[in-house]
Amino acid sequence: GAGVSQSPSNKVTEKGKDVELRCDPISGHTALYWYRQSLGQGLEFLIYFQGNSAPDKSGLPSDRFSAERTGGSVSTLTIQRTQQEDSAVYLCASSLGRATNEKLFFGSGTQLSVL
Amino acid sequence: AQSVTQPDIHITVSEGASLELRCNYSYGATPYLFWYVQSPGQGLQLLLKYFSGDTLVQGIKGFEAEFKRSQSSFNLRKPSVHWSDAAEYFCAVRADNNNDMRFGAGTRLTVKP
């Protein structure tokens, strides 16, 4: 597609439920990032995928969070047993994956509300 | 690890006035520095970036930023603000040896008519 696509755009869930957030990066982009933006906070790095390398999971806040990237393209961020503090906008970004200084292209995010 | 501080949470300027948004970073070596803008309901868009060379970098929409190593700063400037510049601005820093781009907390810009 023309840009990074995220779905759903909004997700309301009950505490304790599992949720899956999807990201379709720009075609040909080998690098994919997940960030979390809480109200009044900056962007918090969660996880990074680069090609077939093992993902950098150093930003995941707890073991309730996990992410996969199938076939080097689509990525799914899963949050198990959601808590109210998980409420945030979850942003996905992709880049070509060739240089450290390259531009990230962001999706519009998924607004997650945990009731 | 690298980190970013944006001291101003919210700034209000009049349309046509000049603008400077502050950004301070912490990193031992030369960082890669970025400014992103997030307009209401929009994704993040890159305004400009610095990684080497001329310390004054030009970006889109008339923005510029100056890298000052002595002050560990990368402030964003615009000589004359337009109403459409109202948005959230994020400064970001990335080290040259990891994949973690750290963002500041953001500065919300309001433009008065």
Side-chain angles (χ1 to χ4, degrees):
Chain A
V4 177
S5 177
Q6 290 187 246
S7 59
S9 56
N10 278 283
K11 176 71 177 178
V12 180
T13 190
E14 294 179 349
K15 179 181 173 181
K17 300 281 189 183
D18 297 351
V19 294
E20 283 190 354
L21 312 180
R22 178 187 168 102
C23 173
D24 279 282
I26 292 173
S27 178
H29 281 192
T30 61
L32 186 146
Y33 305 74
W34 281 99
Y35 287 88
R36 177 169 70 174
Q37 185 177 21
S38 303
L39 191 63
Q41 303 288 319
L43 287 159
E44 177 187 5
F45 168 77
L46 297 177
I47 189 169
Y48 166 80
F49 295 90
Q50 171 58 60
N52 296 322
S53 302
D56 178 351
K57 304 179 181 180
S58 59
L60 295 178
S62 76
D63 58 8
R64 296 188 294 106
F65 287 72
S66 63
E68 291 185 341
R69 189 177 185 192
T70 54
S73 180
V74 172
S75 177
T76 303
L77 177 69
T78 301
I79 308 173
Q80 296 178 309
R81 305 181 302 282
T82 53
Q83 304 294 313
Q84 289 183 332
E85 61 263 27
D86 299 334
S87 297
V89 175
Y90 289 81
L91 287 163
C92 176
S94 71
S95 68
L96 285 169
R98 295 177 191 163
T100 309
N101 64 327
E102 65 191 17
K103 172 181 174 179
L104 268 62
F105 293 81
F106 283 83
S108 296
T110 294
Q111 173 75 61
L112 176 65
S113 301
V114 182
L115 305 179
Chain B
Q2 68 275 24
S3 66
V4 177
T5 302
Q6 293 181 247
D8 305 305
I9 296 173
H10 187 199
I11 284 182
T12 300
V13 298
S14 298
E15 190 168 16
S18 64
L19 171 70
E20 182 168 30
L21 302 182
R22 296 184 290 166
C23 171
N24 293 97
Y25 69 89
S26 173
Y27 180 59
T30 299
Y32 297 110
L33 294 160
F34 306 79
W35 274 99
Y36 281 84
V37 60
Q38 186 176 34
S39 299
Q42 307 268 324
L44 282 154
Q45 182 182 22
L46 179 69
L47 282 176
L48 48 77
K49 62 182 179 180
Y50 169 82
F51 56 98
S52 68
D54 193 346
T55 56
L56 183 64
V57 292
Q58 303 295 322
I60 61 171
K61 304 184 180 185
F63 285 92
E64 66 177 27
E66 186 171 12
F67 170 59
K68 292 186 178 180
R69 185 189 300 277
S70 61
Q71 298 177 19
S72 297
S73 69
F74 189 57
N75 294 349
L76 182 72
R77 302 194 294 248
K78 186 169 184 178
S80 177
V81 169
H82 187 263
W83 65 267
S84 61
D85 293 327
E88 188 92 21
Y89 291 81
F90 292 93
C91 182
V93 61
R94 185 173 189 174
D96 60 2
N97 60 356
N98 66 43
N99 307 314
D100 182 358
M101 182 178 283
R102 297 292 178 99
F103 286 77
T107 298
R108 178 165 296 280
L109 174 66
T110 297
V111 180
K112 295 190 301 184

